[in-house]
């Protein structure tokens, strides 16, 4: 397995140095930068395998930088883990809504950080050549392109994985914790309502084509992908 690169975007030098040291020791190649401008330059030079993004940066917020990365087709599949001192739940949801794939709240343990990075890398590397189809909805697992008819559907990496999981497992009800295990990875510490946030975003992306009905809420149980609904 080739060495994976982690881009650390963190303006507080002691934290940045500590992260760079620990990740280096864990076998990762580390690029460490202290603001959004440097982060963009680093990514333009070489795409990292995962980005560890501090929320509060001096020039642009980590949130805005994440939005920019997720808008750009070249960088949108790079997993972004937001690092935040804000433990308020609204802020975490805002981070996920901006396209972050995961978040970690300061102070965090080295063990938790490494588990989240491993999970992000694992999720990012799943792919095969299949094209999955339901009606006009097509998911190309090789290119990660999702289309309905001629229209390209823009999805964040998490919504893409969620849709892929649903399309591979139609007609069965999955609880939030089952979805967390299957789509987010078993040893990631994410709250169950995170699933609702991403279901909402996935449905919203499919709504203009009336394909949101594919994802049915099974009251009190979870969610079900129902191909007969279209
Ligand atoms: Ca900061």
């Amino acid at each position: 397995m080739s060495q994976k690169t982690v881009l650390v975007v963190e303006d507080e030098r002691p934290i940045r140095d500590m992260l760079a040291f620990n990740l280096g020791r864990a076998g990762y190649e580390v690029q460490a930068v202290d603001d959004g401008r440097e982060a963009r330059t680093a990514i333009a030079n070489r795409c990292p395998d995962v980005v560890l993004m501090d929320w509060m940066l001096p020039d642009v917020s980590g949130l805005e930088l994440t939005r920019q990365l997720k808008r750009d087709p070249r960088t949108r599949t790079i997993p972004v883990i937001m690092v935040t001192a804000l433990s308020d739940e609204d802020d975490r949801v805002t981070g996920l809504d901006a396209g972050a794939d995961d978040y970690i709240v300061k102070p965090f343990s080295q063990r938790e950080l490494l588990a989240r990075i491993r999970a992000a890398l694992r999720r990012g590397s799943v792919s095969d050549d299949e094209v999955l189809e339901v009606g006009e909805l097509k998911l190309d697992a090789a290119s990660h392109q999702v289309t309905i008819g001629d229209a390209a559907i823009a999805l964040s990496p998490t919504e893409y994985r969620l849709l892929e999981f649903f399309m591979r497992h139609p007609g069965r009800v999955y609880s939030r914790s089952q979805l967390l295990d299957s789509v987010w990875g078993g040893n990631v510490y994410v709250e169950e309502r995170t699933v609702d946030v991403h279901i909402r975003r996935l449905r919203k992306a499919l709504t203009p084509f009336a394909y949101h009905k594919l994802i049915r809420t099974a009251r009190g149980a979870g969610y079900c992908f129902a191909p007969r609904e279209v």
Side-chain angles (χ1 to χ4, degrees), residues 67-110:
R67 274 198 199 99
Q68 290 171 9
L69 292 178
K70 295 299 177 182
R71 271 200 299 263
D72 183 341
R74 210 178 56 85
T75 54
R76 60 189 287 260
T77 57
I78 304 172
V80 175
I81 302 173
M82 293 282 309
V83 179
T84 170
L86 312 165
S87 56
D88 189 76
E89 185 176 341
D90 285 347
D91 293 320
R92 281 178 274 163
V93 172
T94 307
L96 294 170
D97 278 341
D101 299 83
D102 198 2
Y103 57 82
I104 187 164
V105 180
K106 292 178 189 170
F108 49 81
S109 73
Q110 172 72 3

Side-chain angles (χ1 to χ4, degrees), residues 103-150:
Y103 57 82
I104 187 164
V105 180
K106 292 178 189 170
F108 49 81
S109 73
Q110 172 72 3
R111 205 167 144 249
E112 184 184 6
L113 175 69
L114 293 177
R116 284 173 188 276
I117 288 176
R118 279 196 303 272
L121 289 170
R122 202 165 50 234
R123 292 190 306 257
S125 64
V126 176
S127 82
D128 61 30
D129 294 338
E130 245 178 302
V131 176
L132 305 168
E133 289 181 55
V134 172
E136 296 274 289
L137 173 64
K138 274 195 190 137
L139 182 146
D140 184 330
S143 65
H144 284 216
Q145 298 294 309
V146 177
T147 52
I148 297 177
D150 293 332

Side-chain angles (χ1 to χ4, degrees), residues 171-220:
R172 223 198 103 175
V173 174
Y174 288 93
S175 69
R176 288 169 181 79
S177 72
Q178 285 172 327
L179 289 171
L180 281 178
D181 280 351
S182 305
V183 179
W184 276 257
N187 57 359
V188 179
Y189 313 104
V190 186
E191 288 156 53
E192 293 198 353
R193 79 174 57 186
T194 301
V195 174
D196 301 325
V197 171
H198 286 278
I199 292 275
R200 198 158 63 231
R201 289 167 59 186
L202 180 55
R203 277 181 175 151
K204 197 174 160 197
L206 301 175
T207 297
F209 309 90
Y211 272 65
H212 58 289
K213 286 182 283 184
L214 282 170
I215 299 157
R216 216 163 44 76
T217 302
R219 214 161 273 290

